Amino acid sequence: MSKNYKLDDWSEIAKKELKEKELEELNWETPEGIKVKPLYTEKDLENIKHKIGMPGLPPFTRGPRATMYSNRPWTIRQYAGFSTAEESNKFYKEGLENGVTGLSVAFDLATHRGYDSDHPRVIADVGNAGVAIDSVEDMNALFKDIPLEKMSVSMTMNGAVIPVLACFIACGEEQGCPKEKLTGTIQNDILKEFMVRNTFIFPPNPSMRIVADIIEFTSKEMPKFNSISISGYHMQEAGANQVQELAYTLADGKEYIKAALDRGLEIDNFAPRLSFFWSIGMNFFMEIAKMRAARFMWSEIVKKFDPKNNKSLALRTHCQTSGVSLTEQDAYNNIVRTTIEAMAAVLGGTQSLHTNSFDEALALPTPFSARIARNTQLILSEETGITKVIDPLAGSYYVETLTSNMIDEATKLIDEIDDAGGMVKAIEQGIPKMRIEESSAKRQARVDSMDDTIVGVNKYKNEEKQNINILSVDNEKARIDQINKLKRIKSSRNINNVNSYLKKIEEAAKSKNINLLEICVEAAKNRCTVGEMTTAMEKVFGRHSLSTKTISGVYGKSIKSKEQISSIDKHIDKFIEKEGRRPRMLVVKMGQDGHDRGAKLIATAFSDLGFDVDVGPLFQTPEEAARQAVENDVHLIGVSTLAAGHKTLIPLLMKALNNNEAENIKVICGGVIPPDDYKFLFDLGVSKVFGPGTNIPQAAIEIIDIL
């Protein structure tokens, strides 16, 4: 007869296998501070604080739909957009012919920031990292021959959300699809923009009014359309750990509910159309537990607003595999990473999914890499059998315990936000931004110290050069094409109607009783541009700017590579002996790229390593950056770039330095820069180029050596 073995029996055997080691040495602590044991048993389930329940029923821990993938697989999306609307339309059609079941639109940074393509501040941003949309004419071209009454469209747009959504609605109606039949999602999550991504336009309060206007309009006029996608994705991309992503995203959701209720809306009239958006990184079980915890916690949060419809309690989500986990070094490893992350999203119960392409740490994805990313989902859906069983990990001792741990830790952070007066007040105090930047610095220190392994980057390096074909967008051609289209639109439209609607937008912005989206839809039909509609609102709301703050001490305390630190100290001492002061660096972001994780990380790390560091404001022009460098008497400028504008902006920066007789100031670049562009930059006079995965202490030594 077999004995019913217990935990003590296992412990005895395990200790023998460990020999000299203690059993406790197998425990580890996650970056979130959660202690993880090597073994979980049924006893651990006695302590869980959430209801596992049934799928499709409150608290929806096991999924928002009763049958989940056994009845209908998740929506396969491909987040894409580049150059002009015409080029992006071709890409969408190819995807739809090869397994894509929903579209996800990436807009260029000029559009995000509410500038038309002919604006002087967006010379490097048009058609880079997304599609340029200046008017309803561009939206018509984007969806040409794609029937919007049959197609779910997700749009990642927050800053210029009103004019872009207005153009989409107008496009649908001009196609013959009334707004009540449009399906999809508009991100419309402005709070996280103030925390991490920075593609805001207006200050927080009028931005929240815009969110409420959209929720109000869509709840009444667009019953099949999701009014908001509350996004944790960009938080994790900015360095947030999974608990922070979970907590701050749900806290944002609470704030949006309050904004809609303050507008006089009933909870059941809009809550079922709220959706969420998670990043899925490489901590496999943590990501699964995060999604389960999110559904339970959201159900509990919404319950406090007394809904009558259970659908109001259900959290539905889109997921995207991590961008920050992609590496430039040994880039084919990214295919494996994306597959693992996609599996976590599916086992966690996502409703739709985008899988990143393996070459996105280098440039925009090629058709070749996009096909692999798309097929990753198709293989998971159609070859693995994953879809046959609903929530197969339910009841797992480890997963359920981890879910409970996530709930506990996230609740602490939400309580901190509530104590601050809600998320808007917390953002004004800089609480979530500071927490995320601290997490980012700690993560980088662990990688640089090799406490966290990144295969091909800090361990098991491939010394062979990989020749990877990348996609290059002709930014100048895209910009000229867009400017020509703008000229044609402006020459053929009724200018009196345009002026009338722009005046109406301005008046609506002054009045809380007029819905801005409703006015902008009519303005878009009359060929008002995205930039014109934004400017009309800006006259009333103003354009928001952030003060530049960096944390200090976190990276320095977390880095464990003492030999490297000692070497840097010696190099800096020699520099001081020679120059009479510390090396001084200005870190800049030029153009409309607000992704400042890299810039902030470099600023805080180099400061902790002994440099004097200044940080330029976001959205600088090259001329402004050069002027600040001269005024601050720096030794070098560190340019952070992620949005493919370097081939336009860096030449202008070098020219501006020459014009200011500051050729002695060294220029280094870091970020997403295709290796084929390195020679172009070196020929301009750039001293060093650092790609993703750079070891910061080593980079610091290299930089001191060139000064």
Side-chain angles (χ1 to χ4, degrees), residues 65 67-75 351 387:
R65 294 173 56 238
T67 54
M68 291 299 288
Y69 311 140
S70 66
N71 177 47
R72 188 180 73 198
W74 64 93
T75 301
Q351 279 61 69
T387 61

Side-chain angles (χ1 to χ4, degrees), residues 1-6 9:
M1 285 183 69
S2 63
K3 180 182 175 182
N4 186 19
Y5 293 107
K6 306 270 186 190
D9 299 311

